[in-house]
Amino acid sequence: MKYAIISDIHGNLEALNAVLQSAEDAGCEKYVCVGDIVGYGANPIECVQLVKEKVAFSVMGNHDSAVIGKTATTYFNTAARMAVEWTQKALDDESKRYFESLPYVARPAAFTVVHSTIKDPEEWNYIFTSDSAEQYFPYQTDSICFISHTHVSAVFLSDGMVLPPQGRLSVGSSSKYMINCGSVGQPRDGDPRACYVTYDDYENAVTFQRVQYDIKTAQEKIRGASLPEVLAARLEYGK
Ligand code: ZN
């Protein structure tokens, strides 16, 4: 089975459509979402509808949780908090009910999926380094755990190695892998293209994918919705 692992769509419909097309072209049969379907972008309802239609499994992201009042926005920065408040008003009840149904951690096949960390996922801690990854490997039972939340793709191994998140990666059997699949709708690694990964469980290989999309239109919609300007500007730089 070939999976598309997508995350941090953040209401960016242009990026989501481009990624879904790319995944279809790559022959993906099942789609998994690692959370944060909304927040920042101007098309939250459309993105939730598309995810419900195309994605087999999704887990809860901190923005999804914040718009239904399950996570306080106290620690969000001003632009993020304004985006949550805007999204709360924009979303319909059906989308909010969908968020209510999302688990924090899922095991859609022989791998684990969590937005933040496998232990205490609702605390929304970030894993940026192998040192922080190390404290969570003891709780990981599968060979692979897909994470997201930082908007920066990464590969951490339980033996302490860090591999570049590029191209095709054969998954070995001597270590556990924590793989950050990056962000569809708001990449922050300096590359503005939408990011996701494919996972082939027959070949046991993960491939990092980057996809061009219509950034200008996504920016115009953010500006048209009077969301903070920084949320439009950053899409162009991938920061
Ligand atoms: Zn996010």
Side-chain angles (χ1 to χ4, degrees), residues 7-10 34-40 61-63 115 126 148-151 182-183 186 188:
S7 190
D8 295 85
I9 299 159
H10 283 296
V34 197
D36 274 3
I37 301 165
V38 300
Y40 302 136
N62 54 318
H63 284 254
H115 187 69
Y126 292 88
S148 57
H149 196 32
T150 63
H151 297 208
S183 170
Q186 196 197 78
R188 294 179 191 161

Side-chain angles (χ1 to χ4, degrees), residues 3 8 11 18 21 78 80 132-133 138 145 185 188 209 223-224 236:
Y3 297 87
D8 295 85
Q21 185 60 56
T78 309
S132 50
C145 178
R188 294 179 191 161
Q209 312 276 357
R223 290 176 177 131
E236 209 170 314

Side-chain angles (χ1 to χ4, degrees), residues 1 15 24 37 129 143 185:
M1 176 80 78
E24 196 183 315
I37 301 165
T129 63
S143 160

Side-chain angles (χ1 to χ4, degrees), residues 177-193:
Y177 288 67
M178 202 179 285
I179 298 176
N180 190 315
C181 62
S183 170
V184 169
Q186 196 197 78
R188 294 179 191 161
D189 60 353
D191 182 342
R193 293 176 299 170

